[in-house]
Amino acid sequence: MVIEKAYAKINLFLNIIARRSDGYHDIESLMHSVSLHDVIKIEVKKHDTLRINVKTNAPELSDEKNNLVYIAAQKYAARYSVTDEILISLEKNIPIGAGLGGGSSDAAATLRALNKIYKKGSSDELLELAATVGSDVPFCLDGGTAHCLGRGEIIKPIGVKEKMFFALAIGEERISTPKAFCALDNRYVTYPNMSSVCRDMICALSRGQSISDCVYNIFEEITDISSVSKIKENMIQRKAECALMSGSGPSVFGIFKTKADAEAAVKTLSDAGFCAYYSESVASHDINLD
Ligand code: C5P
């Protein structure tokens, strides 16, 4: 049996560059893996026709056709002519549809696990396969911290000198990602160029300096969810250096100087009724161990 941790991601920086003719958007993002994680266990049994079985503790994911773990396994099997019985167990801890990349990370962990078992794909092939599952899946294969362009699949790893400590909390309403992109298209003819801010962040991360002045998420402009503002205020009052929405929301992360400060903020947020988690930076070498 192969066991993989599928880590959540946050967007320390997220801007849209332009709408594309294929319905997607070119983005510029700094994605960062954090320690909150799901667990994927995969076992295979010799068989002459492919069978994929996914068991999960999350009832929302019981329809296999919409489960990115199932889709990733199906694509891997098709690409490498696997005909075994693939038994997958998914322990879900990352909130679903919150902007923390849980589904993408589960899909990436599935591809990593299957490739540990079958050893058929090169890293470039896996990246290509991952991009067909979802825009954030290629980043999640190696995780860590990366400057992401294109749909999100053009990935350049970034050095981070100091581990960061986070409180994560989830706002109360679900936001549809395609609708959020659409709302921004209605607002902008030309998207703002924020690349210099992103460059400043890359520089600060490599020097272990504070990134509070450079965090940015264009999706905050169209997020009209009072719980997101409440969480941000709550985090700032509890000593966060900064707080920002992740992805298209409704998750929010706060960055704290110490683990103790982040944990104290998580307690306050939980007491206030929010779903909240402590997390810290995870490096890419702790994710893709092969
Ligand atoms: O790639 P993924 O399936 O995660 O994307 C979900 C939806 O989000 C897409 O169908 C598209 O509407 C939107 N999207 C986008 N540009 C991106 C990523 C996602 O427009 N770079």
Side-chain angles (χ1 to χ4, degrees):
M1 181 185 295
V2 172
I3 303 177
E4 284 285 316
K5 287 182 181 171
Y7 291 99
K9 66 90 189 138
I10 54 175
N11 301 87
L12 299 173
F13 178 95
L14 178 54
N15 192 25
I16 299 175
I17 293 177
R19 188 181 178 183
R20 306 179 357 170
S21 53
D22 62 2
Y24 285 91
H25 293 74
D26 281 326
I27 60 158
E28 178 170 31
S29 183
L30 270 181
M31 298 205 205
H32 186 71
S33 300
V34 296
S35 51
L36 174 66
H37 62 271
D38 296 336
V39 181
I40 305 268
K41 296 179 186 164
I42 300 192
E43 232 180 322
V44 298
K45 290 186 182 156
K46 283 272 155 259
H47 209 262
D48 47 14
T49 45
L50 175 69
R51 274 200 221 160
I52 302 168
N53 184 288
V54 183
K55 285 214 169 73
T56 172
N57 61 338
E60 302 96 305
L61 298 177
S62 56
D63 177 9
E64 289 187 329
K65 305 292 173 283
N66 295 326
N67 186 335
L68 290 186
V69 162
Y70 182 87
I71 293 168
Q74 216 176 25
K75 290 197 178 222
Y76 187 95
R79 174 73 173 78
Y80 298 109
S81 309
V82 171
T83 56
D84 292 340
E85 181 172 18
I86 302 176
L87 303 166
I88 306 177
S89 118
L90 164 63
E91 178 195 312
K92 202 73 203 144
N93 303 307
I94 305 170
I96 296 166
L100 293 172
S104 302
S105 192
D106 295 341
T110 301
L111 295 176
R112 283 200 307 271
L114 288 173
N115 211 42
K116 276 183 187 164
I117 295 167
Y118 294 106
K119 301 185 174 34
K120 294 201 172 179
S122 66
S123 0
D124 282 351
E125 283 170 5
L126 280 199
L127 278 170
E128 246 174 62
L129 201 55
T132 68
V133 182
S135 302
D136 291 346
V137 184
F139 164 75
C140 296
L141 274 179
D142 279 349
T145 309
H147 184 219
C148 303
L149 295 168
R151 271 201 295 138
E153 85 287 12
I154 302 171
I155 298 158
K156 189 169 162 242
I158 296 299
V160 174
K161 196 167 179 201
E162 300 287 345
K163 181 188 250 193
M164 290 181 279
F165 306 102
F166 303 97
L168 309 178
I170 317 301
E172 276 151 11
E173 286 170 49
R174 290 286 163 264
I175 299 167
S176 141
T177 304
K179 278 191 189 152
F181 273 105
C182 197
L184 281 164
D185 285 339
N186 290 336
R187 175 170 298 208
Y188 286 104
V189 178
T190 310
Y191 280 99
N193 184 340
M194 302 287 288
S195 288
S196 64
V197 180
C198 190
R199 274 198 300 277
D200 288 348
M201 183 180 287
I202 292 171
C203 195
L205 286 169
S206 72
R207 291 176 178 163
Q209 293 166 344
S210 167
I211 57 166
S212 299
D213 293 339
C214 332
V215 292
Y216 175 75
N217 184 348
I218 193 167
F219 286 97
E220 284 199 336
E221 288 182 21
I222 45 123
T223 305
D224 188 22
I225 300 180
S226 65
S227 55
V228 166
S229 317
K230 267 191 216 146
I231 291 170
K232 289 180 71 171
E233 276 166 31
N234 192 316
M235 285 181 177
I236 297 293
Q237 275 168 10
R238 297 298 313 182
K239 296 210 257 181
E241 292 185 328
C242 60
L244 190 80
M245 199 171 77
S246 182
S248 57
S251 58
V252 175
F253 65 87
I255 305 181
F256 294 80
K257 278 214 168 69
T258 66
K259 180 175 179 174
D261 285 348
E263 283 176 337
V266 169
K267 167 126 192 13
T268 312
L269 286 156
S270 302
D271 290 348
F274 291 106
C275 190
Y277 309 83
Y278 166 75
S279 252
E280 56 190 48
S281 306
V282 176
S284 133
H285 55 76
D286 290 324
I287 296 174
N288 199 351
L289 298 170
D290 263 358

